[in-house]
Amino acid sequence: MKLKELFGKRRLQPIYDMAVEQDYFDDKCFSLSPQVYTNMAKICLYNDYGLQKHWVKEMVAALTPVMQAKIKTDKSKSQYKKREVFVKAFITSYLGVGYEEYDYPTMKNFFVAAITDEGDKIGHFDIEGTVNVCKECFVKYLDKLKKIDFDNYYTELWQYGLEFVNDVRQAKGLIRYA
């Protein structure tokens, strides 16, 4: 008898119900945030819609462990401590409370990392121009992440990511809405 016949064709879901220590969660958030920003920069730099959707998938994959985690000391249903750390790690530590630190010097390294990750030459891109054109797209996406429903995160992450792609494409003049 084959294992598939014995156990069925179900996909095994990973178990993430264990609560983690606050410090572990903090470290996880801070270690994953550069990856998310680099993928966001790739979406801004490259115009290929298929690749942009691929980078959304990478963003969702990077954010999933953070969304699934529960903090041991965070007993509230709203997961206040988790949201506080998440917002600090992914937004305010880089861009300030009101995005006042979103500027070319702050964002340049993420965009350079995005270009080098893809094996391209930095001189082929107008990084400063792209940073400026995409600012509102970043702000809109990150504002949505601040309010994400930790229980329904997967659908929202995908939706927000695809909206980010469409906002970037619109900001760059690749699509126009009537």
Side-chain angles (χ1 to χ4, degrees):
M1 176 177 269
K2 295 180 181 177
L3 287 177
K4 279 188 181 179
E5 292 171 0
L6 182 63
F7 294 107
K9 295 182 180 181
R10 294 184 317 171
R11 265 185 33 201
L12 297 176
Q13 295 294 326
I15 299 171
Y16 293 102
D17 288 339
M18 280 182 51
V20 297
E21 296 292 336
Q22 174 93 36
D23 290 343
Y24 176 82
F25 185 75
D26 292 2
D27 292 344
K28 191 73 163 166
C29 286
F30 280 100
S31 69
L32 290 173
S33 53
Q35 180 182 352
V36 172
Y37 274 85
T38 300
N39 282 312
M40 291 174 73
K42 288 179 184 182
I43 290 168
C44 293
L45 289 162
Y46 295 91
N47 298 332
D48 183 305
Y49 186 66
L51 286 174
Q52 289 171 323
K53 287 189 340 186
H54 167 76
W55 292 317
V56 168
K57 183 179 179 180
E58 288 186 6
M59 288 165 42
V60 170
L63 288 166
T64 295
V66 172
M67 295 293 151
Q68 291 173 330
K70 303 223 184 292
I71 299 174
K72 283 183 180 180
T73 58
D74 197 359
K75 303 294 183 197
S76 68
K77 186 171 179 142
S78 65
Q79 300 181 61
Y80 174 78
K81 287 182 182 179
K82 178 178 176 177
R83 187 166 312 280
E84 182 179 52
V85 171
F86 177 77
V87 169
K88 181 179 179 186
F90 280 92
I91 302 167
T92 59
S93 67
Y94 290 104
L95 306 178
V97 175
Y99 304 104
E100 65 276 359
E101 295 175 31
Y102 181 103
D103 56 15
Y104 175 65
T106 302
M107 301 304 292
K108 180 182 177 185
N109 290 336
F110 296 117
F111 282 75
V112 168
I115 294 166
T116 56
D117 279 358
E118 294 305 307
D120 290 322
K121 294 184 179 176
I122 296 165
H124 292 167
F125 294 87
D126 176 11
I127 298 172
E128 187 169 6
T130 305
V131 166
N132 292 331
V133 165
C134 294
K135 178 179 182 175
E136 292 307 315
C137 305
F138 265 80
V139 169
K140 189 174 175 182
Y141 176 76
L142 295 171
D143 272 345
K144 290 175 186 175
L145 281 186
K146 284 181 183 179
K147 300 170 189 163
I148 196 159
D149 178 357
F150 290 129
D151 295 326
N152 188 32
Y153 69 88
Y154 191 79
T155 303
E156 288 184 12
L157 283 177
W158 268 106
Q159 178 184 340
Y160 298 164
L162 294 176
E163 288 172 3
F164 177 70
V165 168
N166 288 331
D167 290 343
V168 167
R169 293 179 70 78
Q170 184 177 8
K172 293 176 76 176
L174 298 172
I175 57 173
R176 302 202 191 293
Y177 293 111

